[in-house]
mmCIF file of all heavy atoms in Angstrom:
data_model
loop_
_atom_site.group_PDB
_atom_site.id
_atom_site.type_symbol
_atom_site.label_atom_id
_atom_site.label_comp_id
_atom_site.label_asym_id
_atom_site.label_seq_id
_atom_site.Cartn_x
_atom_site.Cartn_y
_atom_site.Cartn_z
ATOM 1 N N ARG A 105 0.792 -1.231 0.000
ATOM 2 C CA ARG A 105 0.000 0.000 0.000
ATOM 3 C C ARG A 105 0.823 1.279 0.000
ATOM 4 O O ARG A 105 0.276 2.355 -0.223
ATOM 5 C CB ARG A 105 -0.990 -0.037 1.165
ATOM 6 C CG ARG A 105 -1.937 -1.209 1.006
ATOM 7 C CD ARG A 105 -3.077 -1.275 1.964
ATOM 8 N NE ARG A 105 -3.850 -2.490 1.703
ATOM 9 C CZ ARG A 105 -4.984 -2.806 2.292
ATOM 10 N NH1 ARG A 105 -5.503 -1.972 3.200
ATOM 11 N NH2 ARG A 105 -5.624 -3.917 1.995
ATOM 12 N N THR A 106 2.115 1.159 0.253
ATOM 13 C CA THR A 106 2.987 2.336 0.135
ATOM 14 C C THR A 106 3.944 2.228 -1.045
ATOM 15 O O THR A 106 4.456 3.244 -1.506
ATOM 16 C CB THR A 106 3.822 2.539 1.408
ATOM 17 O OG1 THR A 106 4.755 1.453 1.557
ATOM 18 C CG2 THR A 106 2.930 2.644 2.648
ATOM 19 N N GLY A 107 4.202 1.010 -1.508
ATOM 20 C CA GLY A 107 5.188 0.825 -2.564
ATOM 21 C C GLY A 107 6.609 1.037 -2.088
ATOM 22 O O GLY A 107 7.536 1.179 -2.897
ATOM 23 N N LEU A 108 6.809 1.044 -0.761
ATOM 24 C CA LEU A 108 8.130 1.280 -0.183
ATOM 25 C C LEU A 108 8.709 -0.018 0.372
ATOM 26 O O LEU A 108 7.971 -0.919 0.771
ATOM 27 C CB LEU A 108 8.034 2.308 0.951
ATOM 28 C CG LEU A 108 7.533 3.700 0.588
ATOM 29 C CD1 LEU A 108 7.421 4.557 1.848
ATOM 30 C CD2 LEU A 108 8.456 4.367 -0.422
ATOM 31 N N PRO A 109 10.029 -0.121 0.469
ATOM 32 C CA PRO A 109 10.645 -1.298 1.080
ATOM 33 C C PRO A 109 10.550 -1.228 2.602
ATOM 34 O O PRO A 109 10.353 -0.153 3.186
ATOM 35 C CB PRO A 109 12.100 -1.209 0.626
ATOM 36 C CG PRO A 109 12.338 0.262 0.466
ATOM 37 C CD PRO A 109 11.042 0.825 -0.053
ATOM 38 N N LEU A 110 10.723 -2.368 3.255
ATOM 39 C CA LEU A 110 10.668 -2.400 4.720
ATOM 40 C C LEU A 110 11.805 -1.612 5.353
ATOM 41 O O LEU A 110 11.696 -1.164 6.502
ATOM 42 C CB LEU A 110 10.695 -3.844 5.218
ATOM 43 C CG LEU A 110 9.447 -4.684 4.902
ATOM 44 C CD1 LEU A 110 9.605 -6.094 5.449
ATOM 45 C CD2 LEU A 110 8.197 -4.028 5.470
ATOM 46 N N SER A 111 12.873 -1.406 4.607
ATOM 47 C CA SER A 111 13.986 -0.618 5.142
ATOM 48 C C SER A 111 13.561 0.820 5.456
ATOM 49 O O SER A 111 14.194 1.491 6.270
ATOM 50 C CB SER A 111 15.155 -0.601 4.144
ATOM 51 O OG SER A 111 14.742 -0.055 2.898
ATOM 52 N N SER A 112 12.467 1.280 4.855
ATOM 53 C CA SER A 112 11.991 2.643 5.099
ATOM 54 C C SER A 112 11.416 2.823 6.503
ATOM 55 O O SER A 112 11.257 3.950 6.966
ATOM 56 C CB SER A 112 10.934 3.029 4.063
ATOM 57 O OG SER A 112 9.788 2.179 4.153
ATOM 58 N N ILE A 113 11.099 1.721 7.187
ATOM 59 C CA ILE A 113 10.556 1.816 8.545
ATOM 60 C C ILE A 113 11.354 1.008 9.568
ATOM 61 O O ILE A 113 10.982 0.960 10.745
ATOM 62 C CB ILE A 113 9.076 1.367 8.610
ATOM 63 C CG1 ILE A 113 8.906 -0.058 8.028
ATOM 64 C CG2 ILE A 113 8.179 2.368 7.884
ATOM 65 C CD1 ILE A 113 7.525 -0.641 8.235
ATOM 66 N N ASP A 114 12.429 0.381 9.130
ATOM 67 C CA ASP A 114 13.156 -0.525 10.029
ATOM 68 C C ASP A 114 13.692 0.198 11.267
ATOM 69 O O ASP A 114 13.553 -0.291 12.393
ATOM 70 C CB ASP A 114 14.303 -1.189 9.264
ATOM 71 C CG ASP A 114 14.974 -2.263 10.104
ATOM 72 O OD1 ASP A 114 14.273 -3.196 10.536
ATOM 73 O OD2 ASP A 114 16.186 -2.141 10.356
ATOM 74 N N LYS A 115 14.290 1.367 11.083
ATOM 75 C CA LYS A 115 14.862 2.110 12.214
ATOM 76 C C LYS A 115 13.778 2.484 13.215
ATOM 77 O O LYS A 115 13.944 2.308 14.434
ATOM 78 C CB LYS A 115 15.571 3.360 11.707
ATOM 79 C CG LYS A 115 16.178 4.213 12.818
ATOM 80 C CD LYS A 115 16.857 5.465 12.237
ATOM 81 C CE LYS A 115 17.379 6.364 13.349
ATOM 82 N NZ LYS A 115 18.012 7.605 12.798
ATOM 83 N N ALA A 116 12.635 2.980 12.715
ATOM 84 C CA ALA A 116 11.542 3.381 13.602
ATOM 85 C C ALA A 116 10.947 2.180 14.327
ATOM 86 O O ALA A 116 10.597 2.260 15.517
ATOM 87 C CB ALA A 116 10.465 4.110 12.803
ATOM 88 N N LEU A 117 10.842 1.041 13.642
ATOM 89 C CA LEU A 117 10.338 -0.169 14.290
ATOM 90 C C LEU A 117 11.264 -0.615 15.417
ATOM 91 O O LEU A 117 10.799 -1.035 16.493
ATOM 92 C CB LEU A 117 10.171 -1.292 13.262
ATOM 93 C CG LEU A 117 9.043 -1.151 12.242
ATOM 94 C CD1 LEU A 117 9.075 -2.306 11.249
ATOM 95 C CD2 LEU A 117 7.680 -1.092 12.933
ATOM 96 N N GLN A 118 12.560 -0.534 15.188
ATOM 97 C CA GLN A 118 13.517 -0.897 16.230
ATOM 98 C C GLN A 118 13.361 0.010 17.456
ATOM 99 O O GLN A 118 13.372 -0.462 18.601
ATOM 100 C CB GLN A 118 14.938 -0.813 15.686
ATOM 101 C CG GLN A 118 15.302 -1.876 14.665
ATOM 102 C CD GLN A 118 16.734 -1.748 14.168
ATOM 103 O OE1 GLN A 118 17.604 -1.271 14.882
ATOM 104 N NE2 GLN A 118 16.978 -2.160 12.929
ATOM 105 N N GLN A 119 13.199 1.308 17.210
ATOM 106 C CA GLN A 119 13.016 2.253 18.318
ATOM 107 C C GLN A 119 11.723 1.970 19.067
ATOM 108 O O GLN A 119 11.684 1.982 20.304
ATOM 109 C CB GLN A 119 13.014 3.686 17.776
ATOM 110 C CG GLN A 119 14.355 4.153 17.231
ATOM 111 C CD GLN A 119 14.274 5.525 16.580
ATOM 112 O OE1 GLN A 119 13.228 5.929 16.081
ATOM 113 N NE2 GLN A 119 15.382 6.248 16.590
ATOM 114 N N ALA A 120 10.649 1.717 18.323
ATOM 115 C CA ALA A 120 9.346 1.455 18.946
ATOM 116 C C ALA A 120 9.388 0.182 19.788
ATOM 117 O O ALA A 120 8.838 0.126 20.895
ATOM 118 C CB ALA A 120 8.268 1.350 17.869
ATOM 119 N N GLU A 121 10.069 -0.831 19.277
ATOM 120 C CA GLU A 121 10.178 -2.090 20.006
ATOM 121 C C GLU A 121 11.011 -1.902 21.268
ATOM 122 O O GLU A 121 10.665 -2.415 22.347
ATOM 123 C CB GLU A 121 10.795 -3.152 19.103
ATOM 124 C CG GLU A 121 10.720 -4.562 19.672
ATOM 125 C CD GLU A 121 11.148 -5.596 18.649
ATOM 126 O OE1 GLU A 121 12.040 -5.300 17.813
ATOM 127 O OE2 GLU A 121 10.596 -6.716 18.676
ATOM 128 N N ALA A 122 12.084 -1.141 21.175
ATOM 129 C CA ALA A 122 12.940 -0.886 22.337
ATOM 130 C C ALA A 122 12.192 -0.122 23.425
ATOM 131 O O ALA A 122 12.458 -0.308 24.623
ATOM 132 C CB ALA A 122 14.173 -0.101 21.902
ATOM 133 N N LYS A 123 11.259 0.719 23.040
ATOM 134 C CA LYS A 123 10.468 1.499 24.004
ATOM 135 C C LYS A 123 9.258 0.725 24.529
ATOM 136 O O LYS A 123 8.489 1.240 25.346
ATOM 137 C CB LYS A 123 9.983 2.796 23.343
ATOM 138 C CG LYS A 123 11.082 3.793 22.993
ATOM 139 C CD LYS A 123 10.513 4.971 22.219
ATOM 140 C CE LYS A 123 11.579 5.966 21.802
ATOM 141 N NZ LYS A 123 12.104 6.739 22.940
ATOM 142 N N GLY A 124 9.054 -0.504 24.041
ATOM 143 C CA GLY A 124 7.921 -1.309 24.482
ATOM 144 C C GLY A 124 6.592 -0.862 23.904
ATOM 145 O O GLY A 124 5.532 -1.156 24.464
ATOM 146 N N LEU A 125 6.634 -0.198 22.756
ATOM 147 C CA LEU A 125 5.405 0.340 22.152
ATOM 148 C C LEU A 125 4.785 -0.606 21.131
ATOM 149 O O LEU A 125 3.603 -0.450 20.781
ATOM 150 C CB LEU A 125 5.697 1.694 21.492
ATOM 151 C CG LEU A 125 6.238 2.787 22.426
ATOM 152 C CD1 LEU A 125 6.582 4.037 21.632
ATOM 153 C CD2 LEU A 125 5.220 3.108 23.516
ATOM 154 N N ILE A 126 5.572 -1.565 20.634
ATOM 155 C CA ILE A 126 5.067 -2.546 19.674
ATOM 156 C C ILE A 126 5.629 -3.914 19.980
ATOM 157 O O ILE A 126 6.638 -4.063 20.679
ATOM 158 C CB ILE A 126 5.436 -2.182 18.207
ATOM 159 C CG1 ILE A 126 6.965 -2.189 18.027
ATOM 160 C CG2 ILE A 126 4.809 -0.856 17.770
ATOM 161 C CD1 ILE A 126 7.414 -2.204 16.573
ATOM 162 N N THR A 127 4.963 -4.925 19.443
ATOM 163 C CA THR A 127 5.546 -6.259 19.317
ATOM 164 C C THR A 127 5.509 -6.593 17.834
ATOM 165 O O THR A 127 4.658 -6.088 17.089
ATOM 166 C CB THR A 127 4.755 -7.320 20.110
ATOM 167 O OG1 THR A 127 3.404 -7.372 19.604
ATOM 168 C CG2 THR A 127 4.737 -6.992 21.587
ATOM 169 N N ARG A 128 6.422 -7.447 17.379
ATOM 170 C CA ARG A 128 6.441 -7.792 15.957
ATOM 171 C C ARG A 128 7.048 -9.160 15.748
ATOM 172 O O ARG A 128 7.798 -9.681 16.594
ATOM 173 C CB ARG A 128 7.208 -6.749 15.144
ATOM 174 C CG ARG A 128 8.647 -6.521 15.572
ATOM 175 C CD ARG A 128 9.367 -5.584 14.622
ATOM 176 N NE ARG A 128 10.699 -5.234 15.090
ATOM 177 C CZ ARG A 128 11.672 -4.813 14.307
ATOM 178 N NH1 ARG A 128 11.472 -4.688 13.006
ATOM 179 N NH2 ARG A 128 12.855 -4.493 14.810
ATOM 180 N N ASP A 129 6.690 -9.755 14.616
ATOM 181 C CA ASP A 129 7.327 -10.982 14.172
ATOM 182 C C ASP A 129 7.622 -10.812 12.689
ATOM 183 O O ASP A 129 7.598 -9.692 12.173
ATOM 184 C CB ASP A 129 6.456 -12.214 14.468
ATOM 185 C CG ASP A 129 5.035 -12.087 13.898
ATOM 186 O OD1 ASP A 129 4.875 -11.401 12.856
ATOM 187 O OD2 ASP A 129 4.100 -12.657 14.471
ATOM 188 N N TRP A 130 7.864 -11.893 11.994
ATOM 189 C CA TRP A 130 8.255 -11.791 10.586
ATOM 190 C C TRP A 130 7.100 -11.340 9.696
ATOM 191 O O TRP A 130 7.321 -10.946 8.553
ATOM 192 C CB TRP A 130 8.774 -13.144 10.094
ATOM 193 C CG TRP A 130 7.744 -14.244 10.194
ATOM 194 C CD1 TRP A 130 7.509 -15.051 11.259
ATOM 195 C CD2 TRP A 130 6.810 -14.631 9.189
ATOM 196 N NE1 TRP A 130 6.484 -15.922 11.008
ATOM 197 C CE2 TRP A 130 6.031 -15.692 9.725
ATOM 198 C CE3 TRP A 130 6.540 -14.206 7.886
ATOM 199 C CZ2 TRP A 130 5.011 -16.312 9.010
ATOM 200 C CZ3 TRP A 130 5.522 -14.828 7.175
ATOM 201 C CH2 TRP A 130 4.777 -15.868 7.731
ATOM 202 N N ALA A 131 5.855 -11.381 10.232
ATOM 203 C CA ALA A 131 4.705 -11.086 9.380
ATOM 204 C C ALA A 131 3.914 -9.856 9.806
ATOM 205 O O ALA A 131 3.240 -9.240 8.980
ATOM 206 C CB ALA A 131 3.759 -12.291 9.339
ATOM 207 N N ARG A 132 3.969 -9.494 11.104
ATOM 208 C CA ARG A 132 2.998 -8.504 11.600
ATOM 209 C C ARG A 132 3.605 -7.617 12.689
ATOM 210 O O ARG A 132 4.478 -8.042 13.446
ATOM 211 C CB ARG A 132 1.766 -9.229 12.146
ATOM 212 C CG ARG A 132 0.556 -8.359 12.314
ATOM 213 C CD ARG A 132 -0.731 -9.160 12.470
ATOM 214 N NE ARG A 132 -1.852 -8.258 12.234
ATOM 215 C CZ ARG A 132 -2.416 -8.056 11.055
ATOM 216 N NH1 ARG A 132 -1.999 -8.732 10.010
ATOM 217 N NH2 ARG A 132 -3.410 -7.201 10.915
ATOM 218 N N VAL A 133 3.088 -6.378 12.774
ATOM 219 C CA VAL A 133 3.458 -5.427 13.822
ATOM 220 C C VAL A 133 2.188 -5.051 14.582
ATOM 221 O O VAL A 133 1.169 -4.704 13.966
ATOM 222 C CB VAL A 133 4.093 -4.158 13.223
ATOM 223 C CG1 VAL A 133 4.366 -3.127 14.320
ATOM 224 C CG2 VAL A 133 5.372 -4.491 12.470
ATOM 225 N N ARG A 134 2.244 -5.124 15.919
ATOM 226 C CA ARG A 134 1.076 -4.798 16.742
ATOM 227 C C ARG A 134 1.473 -3.801 17.832
ATOM 228 O O ARG A 134 2.540 -3.950 18.446
ATOM 229 C CB ARG A 134 0.517 -6.050 17.423
ATOM 230 C CG ARG A 134 -0.098 -7.080 16.504
ATOM 231 C CD ARG A 134 -0.583 -8.297 17.290
ATOM 232 N NE ARG A 134 -1.283 -9.256 16.457
ATOM 233 C CZ ARG A 134 -0.696 -10.201 15.744
ATOM 234 N NH1 ARG A 134 0.643 -10.329 15.786
ATOM 235 N NH2 ARG A 134 -1.409 -11.037 15.003
ATOM 236 N N PRO A 135 0.620 -2.799 18.093
ATOM 237 C CA PRO A 135 0.896 -1.927 19.234
ATOM 238 C C PRO A 135 0.652 -2.675 20.543
ATOM 239 O O PRO A 135 -0.260 -3.503 20.638
ATOM 240 C CB PRO A 135 -0.109 -0.785 19.056
ATOM 241 C CG PRO A 135 -1.226 -1.374 18.263
ATOM 242 C CD PRO A 135 -0.611 -2.414 17.377
ATOM 243 N N THR A 136 1.489 -2.432 21.537
ATOM 244 C CA THR A 136 1.268 -2.992 22.874
ATOM 245 C C THR A 136 0.250 -2.126 23.617
ATOM 246 O O THR A 136 -0.207 -1.097 23.104
ATOM 247 C CB THR A 136 2.582 -3.003 23.661
ATOM 248 O OG1 THR A 136 3.040 -1.643 23.787
ATOM 249 C CG2 THR A 136 3.645 -3.823 22.952
ATOM 250 N N GLU A 137 -0.096 -2.530 24.837
ATOM 251 C CA GLU A 137 -0.981 -1.694 25.654
ATOM 252 C C GLU A 137 -0.333 -0.324 25.876
ATOM 253 O O GLU A 137 -0.998 0.712 25.833
ATOM 254 C CB GLU A 137 -1.259 -2.373 26.996
ATOM 255 C CG GLU A 137 -2.181 -3.571 26.912
ATOM 256 C CD GLU A 137 -3.560 -3.217 26.393
ATOM 257 O OE1 GLU A 137 -4.053 -2.097 26.674
ATOM 258 O OE2 GLU A 137 -4.163 -4.062 25.693
ATOM 259 N N ARG A 138 0.959 -0.339 26.104
ATOM 260 C CA ARG A 138 1.684 0.919 26.272
ATOM 261 C C ARG A 138 1.642 1.740 24.971
ATOM 262 O O ARG A 138 1.482 2.964 24.994
ATOM 263 C CB ARG A 138 3.134 0.636 26.681
ATOM 264 C CG ARG A 138 3.990 1.898 26.858
ATOM 265 C CD ARG A 138 5.395 1.540 27.339
ATOM 266 N NE ARG A 138 6.251 2.718 27.363
ATOM 267 C CZ ARG A 138 6.265 3.610 28.333
ATOM 268 N NH1 ARG A 138 5.457 3.452 29.376
ATOM 269 N NH2 ARG A 138 7.076 4.655 28.281
ATOM 270 N N GLY A 139 1.759 1.046 23.833
ATOM 271 C CA GLY A 139 1.685 1.730 22.546
ATOM 272 C C GLY A 139 0.335 2.371 22.320
ATOM 273 O O GLY A 139 0.233 3.475 21.763
ATOM 274 N N PHE A 140 -0.731 1.695 22.762
ATOM 275 C CA PHE A 140 -2.082 2.258 22.673
ATOM 276 C C PHE A 140 -2.194 3.502 23.562
ATOM 277 O O PHE A 140 -2.807 4.495 23.176
ATOM 278 C CB PHE A 140 -3.108 1.209 23.100
ATOM 279 C CG PHE A 140 -3.911 0.651 21.959
ATOM 280 C CD1 PHE A 140 -3.391 0.605 20.674
ATOM 281 C CD2 PHE A 140 -5.189 0.162 22.161
ATOM 282 C CE1 PHE A 140 -4.137 0.094 19.624
ATOM 283 C CE2 PHE A 140 -5.943 -0.347 21.117
ATOM 284 C CZ PHE A 140 -5.417 -0.385 19.845
ATOM 285 N N ASP A 141 -1.638 3.410 24.758
ATOM 286 C CA ASP A 141 -1.746 4.523 25.710
ATOM 287 C C ASP A 141 -0.933 5.738 25.261
ATOM 288 O O ASP A 141 -1.286 6.879 25.562
ATOM 289 C CB ASP A 141 -1.276 4.085 27.107
ATOM 290 C CG ASP A 141 -2.254 3.136 27.773
ATOM 291 O OD1 ASP A 141 -3.420 3.086 27.348
ATOM 292 O OD2 ASP A 141 -1.842 2.438 28.723
ATOM 293 N N PHE A 142 0.164 5.479 24.561
ATOM 294 C CA PHE A 142 1.032 6.570 24.092
ATOM 295 C C PHE A 142 1.116 6.534 22.569
ATOM 296 O O PHE A 142 2.199 6.544 21.981
ATOM 297 C CB PHE A 142 2.425 6.443 24.733
ATOM 298 C CG PHE A 142 2.415 6.594 26.227
ATOM 299 C CD1 PHE A 142 2.332 5.472 27.051
ATOM 300 C CD2 PHE A 142 2.452 7.851 26.805
ATOM 301 C CE1 PHE A 142 2.311 5.607 28.436
ATOM 302 C CE2 PHE A 142 2.431 7.993 28.188
ATOM 303 C CZ PHE A 142 2.358 6.871 29.008
ATOM 304 N N LEU A 143 -0.056 6.513 21.944
ATOM 305 C CA LEU A 143 -0.137 6.333 20.503
ATOM 306 C C LEU A 143 0.561 7.458 19.744
ATOM 307 O O LEU A 143 1.259 7.211 18.763
ATOM 308 C CB LEU A 143 -1.610 6.233 20.070
ATOM 309 C CG LEU A 143 -1.854 5.996 18.583
ATOM 310 C CD1 LEU A 143 -1.219 4.690 18.124
ATOM 311 C CD2 LEU A 143 -3.353 5.981 18.285
ATOM 312 N N SER A 144 0.395 8.694 20.186
ATOM 313 C CA SER A 144 1.034 9.816 19.478
ATOM 314 C C SER A 144 2.545 9.676 19.480
ATOM 315 O O SER A 144 3.210 9.939 18.464
ATOM 316 C CB SER A 144 0.624 11.151 20.107
ATOM 317 O OG SER A 144 -0.753 11.386 19.935
ATOM 318 N N ASP A 145 3.099 9.254 20.625
ATOM 319 C CA ASP A 145 4.547 9.050 20.701
ATOM 320 C C ASP A 145 4.999 7.951 19.738
ATOM 321 O O ASP A 145 6.055 8.056 19.107
ATOM 322 C CB ASP A 145 4.952 8.671 22.132
ATOM 323 C CG ASP A 145 4.730 9.797 23.127
ATOM 324 O OD1 ASP A 145 4.647 10.963 22.689
ATOM 325 O OD2 ASP A 145 4.613 9.506 24.334
ATOM 326 N N LEU A 146 4.202 6.898 19.640
ATOM 327 C CA LEU A 146 4.521 5.799 18.733
ATOM 328 C C LEU A 146 4.466 6.269 17.278
ATOM 329 O O LEU A 146 5.395 6.006 16.500
ATOM 330 C CB LEU A 146 3.543 4.648 18.970
ATOM 331 C CG LEU A 146 3.582 3.469 17.991
ATOM 332 C CD1 LEU A 146 4.976 2.865 17.908
ATOM 333 C CD2 LEU A 146 2.560 2.412 18.395
ATOM 334 N N GLN A 147 3.424 6.969 16.917
ATOM 335 C CA GLN A 147 3.275 7.424 15.533
ATOM 336 C C GLN A 147 4.394 8.389 15.135
ATOM 337 O O GLN A 147 4.902 8.329 14.004
ATOM 338 C CB GLN A 147 1.911 8.087 15.351
ATOM 339 C CG GLN A 147 0.733 7.130 15.481
ATOM 340 C CD GLN A 147 -0.585 7.849 15.712
ATOM 341 O OE1 GLN A 147 -0.619 8.942 16.263
ATOM 342 N NE2 GLN A 147 -1.677 7.238 15.286
ATOM 343 N N GLU A 148 4.806 9.238 16.058
ATOM 344 C CA GLU A 148 5.811 10.260 15.745
ATOM 345 C C GLU A 148 7.166 9.670 15.379
ATOM 346 O O GLU A 148 7.978 10.302 14.710
ATOM 347 C CB GLU A 148 5.968 11.224 16.919
ATOM 348 C CG GLU A 148 4.815 12.215 17.044
ATOM 349 C CD GLU A 148 4.901 13.044 18.293
ATOM 350 O OE1 GLU A 148 5.933 12.930 19.010
ATOM 351 O OE2 GLU A 148 3.961 13.802 18.581
ATOM 352 N N LEU A 149 7.418 8.428 15.799
ATOM 353 C CA LEU A 149 8.684 7.786 15.469
ATOM 354 C C LEU A 149 8.839 7.601 13.953
ATOM 355 O O LEU A 149 9.955 7.437 13.456
ATOM 356 C CB LEU A 149 8.796 6.415 16.154
ATOM 357 C CG LEU A 149 8.888 6.434 17.696
ATOM 358 C CD1 LEU A 149 8.851 5.009 18.235
ATOM 359 C CD2 LEU A 149 10.164 7.152 18.143
ATOM 360 N N PHE A 150 7.728 7.642 13.234
ATOM 361 C CA PHE A 150 7.748 7.387 11.800
ATOM 362 C C PHE A 150 7.729 8.673 10.971
ATOM 363 O O PHE A 150 7.642 8.622 9.740
ATOM 364 C CB PHE A 150 6.566 6.485 11.410
ATOM 365 C CG PHE A 150 6.654 5.120 12.044
ATOM 366 C CD1 PHE A 150 6.101 4.898 13.304
ATOM 367 C CD2 PHE A 150 7.307 4.094 11.407
ATOM 368 C CE1 PHE A 150 6.185 3.644 13.896
ATOM 369 C CE2 PHE A 150 7.410 2.841 11.989
ATOM 370 C CZ PHE A 150 6.846 2.618 13.247
ATOM 371 N N LEU A 151 7.801 9.813 11.632
ATOM 372 C CA LEU A 151 7.880 11.080 10.910
ATOM 373 C C LEU A 151 9.189 11.172 10.130
ATOM 374 O O LEU A 151 10.233 10.694 10.583
ATOM 375 C CB LEU A 151 7.789 12.260 11.871
ATOM 376 C CG LEU A 151 6.382 12.648 12.361
ATOM 377 C CD1 LEU A 151 6.488 13.639 13.503
ATOM 378 C CD2 LEU A 151 5.561 13.235 11.220
ATOM 379 N N ALA A 152 9.125 11.797 8.970
ATOM 380 C CA ALA A 152 10.338 11.968 8.161
ATOM 381 C C ALA A 152 11.324 12.864 8.894
ATOM 382 O O ALA A 152 10.931 13.830 9.566
ATOM 383 C CB ALA A 152 9.963 12.568 6.805
#
């Protein structure tokens, strides 16, 4: 849906996972309860 490679979000995903805002596996990314509570902080990690 973006036409972009996964490398375009890899750094932000690593940061989000380190902060406990997401969980992920080889197929899917999910916000944690903490990610839901601090959704704006999670989304901002993906700003250009």
